[in-house]
Amino acid sequence: MNIYAVNASPRKKWNTATVLRHALEGAASIAPDAHTELLHLYDYRYKGCLSCFECKKLGGKSYGRCAVRDDLAPVLEKLLEADAIIFGSPIYFYDVTGMMRSFLERLMFPCFVYDKDYSSLAPKAVATAFIYTMNVTSDVMEQQRYPEKLRTTESFVERVFSKKPLELYVNNTYQFSDYSKYKVECFSETEKANYRENQFPIDCQKAHALGQELARSCVSS
């Protein structure tokens, strides 16, 4: 069994990466023999879809697969054979990072068939989950309808990989190790620090539980 977590944050040891590691640990606790791996998208040099349509060319050598051969190519091949994928991203301007968007274009578009049903060429059903980290509170997240906006992308992932993604929202995140070094008036460092001390460990536990649920779905299928 292969379970991957994809970190779309430029930081490898901060909020998003931390909760992804806990999710992988949770998955490993259910499937100890599984291969688990955390992939950092900012380690790779790549672009989004180039609209070459080689993935749609009948009889072409790249039909159903991205034809672009860059740093992301071996990652895409690996993930298409995964049993579970956890997508993790901070929220920038109400959405996942640009790196995640470009990555998802390259991962998913080749799998979509231009038939009347937009059927999928993914080689297998894959259990998936999204973990989102953001500095707004859960109240603001709901008021601004973040979940509704994010579900659009989730629906495409479900269509490609045949399983509805799990979701975890990590709110009110602590952005800096020292707020005094930055121009910040819209957040209280004290409140942020207290929230991180009390809530972030709970969020990590939730990520662990999400990883367990994801692994169980793979074991039972």
Side-chain angles (χ1 to χ4, degrees), residues 98-117:
M99 293 293 278
M100 176 62 87
R101 291 294 305 179
S102 294
F103 159 75
L104 288 174
E105 289 175 8
R106 296 277 301 281
L107 176 68
M108 294 196 297
F109 183 64
C111 292
F112 277 108
V113 181
Y114 274 180
D115 58 15
K116 61 182 179 64
D117 298 318

Side-chain angles (χ1 to χ4, degrees), residues 13-14 50 71-72 106 117 135 193 204:
K13 296 182 179 181
W14 207 244
L50 301 182
D71 287 1
L72 197 60
R106 296 277 301 281
D117 298 318
N135 65 7
C204 290

Side-chain angles (χ1 to χ4, degrees), residues 74-210:
V75 177
L76 299 177
E77 293 171 5
K78 180 186 297 187
L79 292 178
L80 287 174
E81 297 299 330
D83 296 285
I85 307 172
I86 308 167
F87 305 99
S89 179
I91 296 300
Y92 293 174
F93 296 106
Y94 296 91
D95 208 340
V96 295
T97 64
M99 293 293 278
M100 176 62 87
R101 291 294 305 179
S102 294
F103 159 75
L104 288 174
E105 289 175 8
R106 296 277 301 281
L107 176 68
M108 294 196 297
F109 183 64
C111 292
F112 277 108
V113 181
Y114 274 180
D115 58 15
K116 61 182 179 64
D117 298 318
Y118 286 98
S119 54
S120 174
L121 289 173
K124 61 196 294 189
V126 180
T128 61
F130 278 87
I131 296 180
Y132 306 105
T133 62
M134 61 195 84
N135 65 7
V136 300
T137 64
S138 58
D139 288 342
V140 171
M141 178 186 75
E142 294 296 341
Q143 291 168 6
Q144 297 296 323
R145 300 164 62 187
Y146 280 49
E148 180 180 338
K149 295 169 183 175
L150 294 167
R151 284 192 193 107
T152 299
T153 298
E154 294 169 16
S155 68
F156 284 110
V157 170
E158 180 179 0
R159 181 183 288 268
V160 169
F161 294 117
S162 304
K163 293 185 178 182
K164 188 178 188 301
L166 303 177
E167 303 161 345
L168 174 62
Y169 306 103
V170 179
N171 299 99
N172 203 19
T173 52
Y174 200 69
Q175 290 180 283
F176 319 111
S177 58
D178 184 352
Y179 273 65
S180 67
K181 295 180 179 179
Y182 304 92
K183 177 69 172 179
V184 181
E185 296 178 352
C186 53
F187 302 109
S188 165
E189 178 182 4
T190 301
E191 291 177 2
K192 284 278 189 181
N194 288 337
Y195 192 89
R196 181 176 181 83
E197 180 179 357
N198 294 303
Q199 180 61 38
F200 194 65
I202 297 174
D203 292 328
C204 290
Q205 292 173 4
K206 291 180 179 179
H208 189 275
L210 178 146

Side-chain angles (χ1 to χ4, degrees), residues 14-27:
W14 207 244
N15 300 308
T16 308
T18 299
V19 290
L20 286 174
R21 288 190 181 94
H22 281 275
L24 288 178
E25 290 170 4

